[in-house]
Amino acid sequence: MNAAIRSVVRTGIYFGYEIIGINNGYKGMIEGDFVKMDSASVSNIIQRGGTILKTARCKEFMSEDGRKQAFEQLQKEGIDALVAIGGNGTFTGADKMGKEHQIPIIGVPGTIDNDLFGTDNTIGYDTALNTVINAVDKIRDTASSHNRLFFIEVMGRDAGFIALNTGIACGAEDILIPEEETSVDELIEILDRGFRQNKNSGIIIVAEGDDSGGAIQIANKVNERYDHYETRVTILGHIQRGGSPTCADRVLASRMGYESVKALNNGYKGIMVGIVDDQVSYTPLSKAIKHHNIMNKDLMEIARVLSL
Ligand code: F6P
């Protein structure tokens, strides 16, 4: 997100705008927590995870009254256009605000979940993928040395993009995602097939939003019926949301920040900028949040074939 903030600030200055940062997301907007930004205020941040402007979950912004208060603060400050960086929650609020009040808003997709329609990748996703594979590779050392089966939970409360891609990249025995119904019978069958073929350890990647209830629950269900492996559970959690961004994420954020200001400059509003097939694309905010990109069926098939 810092790379996107830097890009918005510098592109805005290039186009002759005055740039104000809003601290703590919608909470800061309601409270009028604004900060003037210049080129120097975004120096040396492209390599840093998180956001220098900070962020917050904000219940008040979910109400019409909260959004009215926020809009009044923007007017008081003389802010006449917004770039909102975030995921589903951010865009839901932005879409409502843009429809209720006269202010153009452009969305920049920033979420590790990659669960927005209208862009191939969201900012943070590639970094999260790389964090996960680094962690799982390390866990595999214990799995294979101790002949253990690991259930590793990754983020993705509604979407299995992180799980599917890291599962393939780490050679997982199986991948459990919210987009597909999880069957304990099938999972045991896969594990047993591996056992019969002399596999002595295994990795199962579980998306947190999987219908099994997550890694702990599925590990318990398997353990009740199948005891060929000693099992362990690891929940990777928030390490996936931090750390220095990958090159791909820095470039993506820089492009999207630049395109968001250009879109405003060209009179667009109520849209999310995205990159699809290396081309810039505009998607209405309401559409970006309602659907997410469909899972690539080929990847699911590849995951199954390669885990033999
Ligand atoms: O929305 C992105 C996400 O990473 C989800 O996959 C995860 O469930 C959630 O954030 C965690 O949010 P919090 O930090 O509020 O617990």
Side-chain angles (χ1 to χ4, degrees), residues 216-228:
I216 296 175
Q217 280 80 352
I218 191 75
N220 287 340
K221 282 181 205 156
V222 169
N223 275 337
E224 277 165 19
R225 295 174 37 195
Y226 188 74
D227 60 3
H228 287 342

Side-chain angles (χ1 to χ4, degrees), residues 72-242:
E72 285 165 2
Q73 292 283 12
L74 296 178
Q75 279 188 311
K76 235 182 4 189
E77 187 71 17
I79 294 173
D80 46 26
L82 273 182
V83 173
I85 308 169
N88 259 293
T90 306
F91 291 173
T92 304
D95 188 41
K96 287 191 175 142
M97 183 166 190
K99 285 173 178 156
E100 289 160 5
H101 302 284
Q102 287 306 309
I103 183 154
I105 306 177
I106 305 292
V108 172
T111 163
I112 64 163
D113 292 345
N114 206 32
D115 59 347
L116 291 166
F117 180 78
T119 190
D120 289 342
N121 285 335
T122 52
I123 300 166
Y125 174 55
D126 187 65
T127 304
L129 294 179
N130 282 289
T131 301
V132 171
I133 66 169
N134 283 330
V136 175
D137 287 351
K138 291 185 175 106
I139 292 168
R140 202 178 257 290
D141 291 344
T142 296
S144 62
S145 307
H146 289 254
N147 293 343
R148 284 179 185 162
L149 172 66
F150 271 83
F151 290 84
I152 303 176
E153 187 174 297
V154 299
M155 277 186 169
R157 62 183 144 195
D158 304 310
F161 293 102
I162 296 179
L164 179 58
N165 284 279
T166 59
I168 292 174
C170 294
E173 275 44 59
D174 201 9
I175 303 166
L176 311 180
I177 54 177
E179 290 80 357
E180 285 198 333
E181 210 180 306
T182 292
S183 151
V184 181
D185 288 341
E186 263 174 43
L187 178 54
I188 291 177
E189 218 176 286
I190 288 170
L191 291 172
D192 201 48
R193 186 187 61 198
F195 190 76
R196 289 194 310 269
Q197 287 168 357
N198 299 323
K199 277 196 188 184
N200 56 17
S201 64
I203 300 281
I204 311 294
I205 301 285
V206 187
E208 66 172 322
D210 182 61
D211 62 337
S212 61
I216 296 175
Q217 280 80 352
I218 191 75
N220 287 340
K221 282 181 205 156
V222 169
N223 275 337
E224 277 165 19
R225 295 174 37 195
Y226 188 74
D227 60 3
H228 287 342
Y229 294 103
E230 190 185 343
T231 61
R232 291 287 186 276
V233 174
T234 303
I235 297 176
L236 294 182
H238 287 79
I239 65 162
Q240 295 162 90
R241 291 229 309 222

